[in-house]
Amino acid sequence: MGKGCTTATKYFLFLFNLLFFIFGAVILGFGLWVLLDNQSFMNVLQQSSTSLKVGSYILISVGSLSMLMGFLGCIGAIYEIRCLLGLYFTCLLLILIAQITAAVLIYFQRDLLKDEMSVIVKKIILDYREGNTTADAAWDYIQRSIHCCGWSGPGNWTENPVLKNNSKSEYPCSCANLTAVNSSVPNNGFCQSESKQWPVYTVGCASSVENWILSNSGVILGVCIGVAVIELLGMILSICLCKSIHQEDYTKVPKY
């Protein structure tokens, strides 16, 4: 490989490692958001399932590792350090294999994950009292934000002990369809209804979440493909630079 080609490879590898560092920061930020955000669907799930909390720690670890690898890759590319480039290639290959494995597992276990989410959300609805706990407040936020009620529909709330044993006609305030009521309603807890027919949204949150995922599937898929392409290019460039450094070292050996 010529000197000009080696220089171009070196700086292209530096650029891709910089992008890899940025993607690692994005993954780290997403993991922290899943772990720390108190008003999201993720928070509702991790209140009843430790698997999502473990997943957030994995995202944080992968993001931190990606940032470290991007940093080491940049240093190895600029200073042409073969051991750093080899370590970078190996770690990048392992991460790519792990990502493909995780994607395959999620795809084939999607029905099981959907059933697990259904069980978790129905338990939150069953244990709901006045919106005092973190899980209750997060679920209220979800229902208000995406204009839905219950998991499969408002009928899920009929199993709640407070509503079942209450002689008054009450409904969850966060389900209130503001176009069907005359005045604003509180954000959390239960509201009284003037009739037995609840003025709530008739759409369940399961279908709303599904529609959101489907509408954003192109963006999600594009991000995944973009990350994979950057990883593959980084692997190819690191190998090419390693080989060129190896060849140049041999040319420096005196000939007799």
Side-chain angles (χ1 to χ4, degrees), residues 23 72 77 94 105 167 169 211 214 246 250:
F23 274 115
L72 293 178
L94 292 175
L105 287 175
S167 58
S169 179
N211 291 334
L214 288 174
H246 181 72
Y250 270 80

Coordinates of all heavy atoms in Angstrom, one line a residue, residues 23 72 77 94 105 167 169 211 214 246 250:
F23 N -21.6 7.4 18.5 CA -22.6 6.4 18.7 C -22.6 5.8 20.1 O -23.6 5.5 20.7 CB -22.5 5.4 17.6 CG -23.2 5.8 16.3 CD1 -22.5 5.9 15.1 CD2 -24.6 5.9 16.3 CE1 -23.2 6.3 13.9 CE2 -25.3 6.3 15.1 CZ -24.5 6.4 13.9
L72 N -9.6 4.6 21.7 CA -8.3 3.8 21.4 C -8.1 3.7 19.9 O -7.0 3.7 19.4 CB -8.5 2.4 22.0 CG -8.5 2.3 23.6 CD1 -8.7 0.9 24.1 CD2 -7.2 2.9 24.1
A77 N -5.0 4.8 15.2 CA -4.9 5.2 13.8 C -3.9 6.4 13.6 O -3.1 6.4 12.7 CB -6.3 5.6 13.3
L94 N -16.5 -8.6 18.2 CA -17.3 -9.2 19.3 C -18.6 -8.4 19.5 O -19.6 -9.0 19.7 CB -16.4 -9.3 20.6 CG -15.3 -10.2 20.6 CD1 -14.5 -10.1 21.9 CD2 -15.7 -11.7 20.4
L105 N -32.5 -12.7 18.7 CA -33.2 -13.2 19.9 C -34.5 -12.4 20.1 O -35.6 -12.9 20.4 CB -32.3 -13.1 21.2 CG -31.2 -14.2 21.3 CD1 -30.3 -13.9 22.5 CD2 -31.8 -15.6 21.4
S167 N -68.7 2.3 45.4 CA -70.1 2.5 45.1 C -70.3 3.6 44.1 O -71.3 3.6 43.3 CB -71.0 2.7 46.3 OG -70.5 3.9 47.0
S169 N -69.4 6.0 40.8 CA -68.9 5.7 39.4 C -67.6 6.6 39.2 O -67.7 7.8 39.1 CB -70.0 6.1 38.4 OG -69.5 5.9 37.1
N211 N -48.3 1.0 17.2 CA -48.4 1.9 16.1 C -47.2 2.9 16.1 O -46.6 3.2 15.1 CB -49.7 2.8 16.2 CG -50.9 1.9 15.9 OD1 -50.8 0.9 15.2 ND2 -52.0 2.3 16.4
L214 N -44.2 0.9 14.8 CA -44.3 0.7 13.4 C -44.0 1.9 12.6 O -43.4 1.9 11.6 CB -45.7 0.1 13.0 CG -46.0 -1.3 13.5 CD1 -47.5 -1.7 13.2 CD2 -45.1 -2.3 12.7
H246 N 2.7 -3.2 8.9 CA 3.5 -4.4 8.9 C 4.4 -4.4 7.8 O 5.6 -4.7 7.9 CB 2.6 -5.6 8.9 CG 3.3 -6.9 8.9 ND1 4.0 -7.4 10.0 CD2 3.6 -7.8 7.9 CE1 4.5 -8.6 9.8 NE2 4.3 -8.8 8.5
Y250 N 8.8 -3.8 7.5 CA 9.7 -4.7 6.8 C 10.6 -4.0 5.8 O 11.8 -4.4 5.6 CB 9.0 -5.8 6.1 CG 8.7 -7.0 6.9 CD1 7.7 -7.0 7.9 CD2 9.5 -8.2 6.8 CE1 7.4 -8.1 8.7 CE2 9.3 -9.3 7.7 CZ 8.3 -9.3 8.6 OH 8.1 -10.3 9.4

